[in-house]
Amino acid sequence: MIRVLIADDSAFMRKVLSDLFKGQSDFEVVGTAVNGQDAIEKVKRFQPDVLTLDVVMPIMDGLTALAVIMEQCPLPVVMISSATQKGTNETIRALALGAVDFVSKAGGAISKIDTIKDEILAKCRLAAKSHAKKNIAASSPIVYKPKPSNIEPPTRRVEVRRRTGLVLGQKPTINYVPNTTAPVKRIIPGTGKKIVTIGTSTGGPQALQAVITRLPGNLPCGVVVVQHMPAGFTRSLAERLNSISEIAVKEAENDEIIKPGQVYIAPGDYHLRIAPAAGGERKIVLSQEPRVGNLRPTVNYMFDSAAQFGRDLVSVIMTGMGSDGYEGMKKIKATGGYSIAQDESSCVVYGMPKAVVDAGLADEIRPLNKIAEAIVEAVRR
């Protein structure tokens, strides 16, 4: 039985979600909360298996509550988010804080619950099976990207320490501490011929933050990422990562040349492949070819296209449900590419890496906080 707590300021939504879960034989509604503060108190009291958490609420909003929950009493959280630009940005922040997944309120409110009820149930079932962890990404080094006008190099990061027993309206304290662990390497020699590909799904935004913020700005090759995510959310993800990383991050565009020191994230609802370009360059090609397993983009699609680069390729598979990336990784290994898989203990969902590891396709199996280091080492070979 999956014990679920519902946090939403709308009495209508609390009733609709409660009825939805009560209609399932494998769910039990242990309580409801009307705002973030109420959610924190009831998480501690009821200790549910899953929390559904609205973003916009009075007294204490969902993001503030999520930060406290992941610090004090971590558990799987599924966010309920508005599909507006502001809602998109807030959802990306929530995923970076440790939420397992999210459901979009189409048009700003769930007025047609029948259209998304299966998604809500599926994501809550998956969340209940995931590894609830403290905020891995938030504890990662945060390096603000240096601007040309900066005189002092980026040798400091922002560390946010939240207080136990948060007082309403109280903001987290911000302390500046020496940045001794990120980026992993300051100077990376290389020819620029190599390319890094990363595939991830559930738990990916948090994992990507932990990895990309540790990559140096002068990495001598490009990094291409496929993250399972709907259209509209990948741009916000790229912009957030760009703002807190030394390496540049952007949403990928069709036909653009892959440059060193740049991370490209496949846009939602587009497949991404990597193709040769003039002068020995590599370029990104986007398409809306049919979905594969109801996914677009897919990791397999990118990995399949990248396999042609053989020994110049470093491929990484991280947290996610299912086995997307497994078939592509087989081709990568057959052409001499190098593979890195996230270990089970640091995955939110140990599905995609497990498929690669179980098949003996991983050259390295690393915890999340060591993957950036593994990428740097592989690129230098």
Side-chain angles (χ1 to χ4, degrees):
M1 188 69 71
I2 301 171
R3 303 171 70 253
V4 60
L5 174 69
I6 299 163
D8 200 297
D9 65 317
S10 165
F12 169 74
M13 278 309 308
R14 292 195 301 274
K15 178 68 164 60
V16 167
L17 291 174
S18 293
D19 289 346
L20 174 62
F21 289 118
K22 288 176 181 177
Q24 306 298 309
S25 60
D26 57 338
F27 280 97
E28 175 190 355
V29 178
V30 297
T32 61
V34 298
N35 56 54
Q37 183 191 28
D38 193 22
I40 294 169
E41 294 171 354
K42 288 179 177 174
V43 163
K44 293 178 179 179
R45 185 194 313 170
F46 297 123
Q47 298 183 356
D49 300 314
V50 177
L51 167 67
T52 68
L53 184 61
D54 191 13
V55 175
V56 180
M57 293 185 289
I59 301 179
M60 181 185 288
D61 63 79
L63 289 178
T64 303
L66 178 65
V68 176
I69 288 168
M70 296 310 289
E71 179 68 26
Q72 298 181 9
C73 44
L75 82 161
V77 177
V78 175
M79 303 300 296
I80 306 297
S81 165
S82 298
T84 61
Q85 182 58 47
K86 181 180 178 182
T88 298
N89 293 335
E90 290 171 336
T91 298
I92 296 301
R93 288 175 58 200
L95 294 172
L97 283 168
V100 173
D101 215 328
F102 69 96
V103 177
S104 294
K105 293 180 181 178
I110 304 180
S111 55
K112 297 181 180 179
I113 191 71
D114 287 344
T115 64
I116 59 171
K117 66 180 182 180
D118 290 342
E119 180 185 2
I120 294 171
L121 295 171
K123 289 185 175 181
C124 286
R125 287 187 178 107
L126 174 62
K129 298 177 182 178
S130 68
H131 299 290
K133 297 182 180 299
K134 287 193 176 183
N135 185 5
I136 299 171
S139 63
S140 304
I142 304 299
V143 181
Y144 284 95
K145 187 178 175 184
K147 295 178 173 59
S149 60
N150 285 0
I151 298 175
E152 183 181 350
T155 57
R156 303 176 76 82
R157 68 181 172 90
V158 173
E159 179 183 87
V160 178
R161 294 193 178 100
R162 296 176 180 85
R163 306 174 192 222
T164 303
L166 188 69
V167 177
L168 292 185
Q170 181 185 57
K171 295 186 179 298
T173 57
I174 300 178
N175 299 301
Y176 290 86
V177 298
N179 176 17
T180 58
T181 57
V184 177
K185 303 284 184 181
R186 296 297 299 175
I187 300 175
I188 311 293
T191 62
K193 292 182 178 179
K194 291 198 174 181
I195 187 168
V196 177
T197 56
I198 300 175
T200 187
S201 184
T202 308
Q206 188 184 23
L208 287 171
Q209 180 168 317
V211 172
I212 290 173
T213 57
R214 283 186 165 97
L215 292 177
N218 58 357
L219 192 74
C221 64
V223 180
V224 185
V225 176
V226 164
Q227 160 70 54
H228 295 163
M229 189 168 275
F233 287 88
T234 46
R235 182 177 295 276
S236 292
L237 175 63
E239 289 173 352
R240 173 175 170 77
L241 290 173
N242 186 63
S243 71
I244 60 176
S245 302
E246 183 177 306
I247 195 168
V249 187
K250 70 185 298 291
E251 187 178 54
E253 299 177 54
N254 190 46
D255 280 338
E256 73 178 311
I257 299 298
I258 298 172
K259 298 294 185 182
Q262 177 76 60
V263 177
Y264 305 85
I265 297 179
D269 203 33
Y270 282 85
H271 286 307
L272 180 152
R273 67 183 175 90
I274 302 169
E281 303 269 26
R282 288 80 179 262
K283 69 177 182 178
I284 288 169
V285 179
L286 302 178
S287 73
Q288 288 192 306
E289 293 181 26
R291 293 174 179 271
V292 180
N294 202 36
L295 295 171
R296 190 169 60 203
T298 67
V299 180
N300 274 327
Y301 194 97
M302 175 180 65
F303 279 4
D304 284 353
S305 69
Q308 64 186 298
F309 302 111
R311 295 184 181 277
D312 286 340
L313 183 63
V314 177
S315 289
V316 182
I317 191 80
M318 301 199 302
T319 177
M321 180 178 64
S323 61
D324 187 25
Y326 162 69
E327 294 294 340
M329 194 69 88
K330 285 199 297 187
K331 295 182 180 181
I332 287 169
K333 292 307 300 173
T335 58
Y338 193 81
S339 65
I340 301 166
Q342 185 178 350
D343 75 349
E344 181 176 6
S345 66
S346 65
C347 282
V348 171
V349 178
Y350 189 56
M352 289 161 54
K354 183 179 188 298
V356 169
V357 170
D358 287 354
L361 299 173
D363 292 302
E364 291 186 61
I365 304 169
R366 294 280 194 113
L368 183 58
N369 62 359
K370 297 294 184 182
I371 288 178
E373 180 181 353
I375 291 171
V376 167
E377 291 171 352
V379 167
R380 296 187 69 180
R381 293 189 185 99

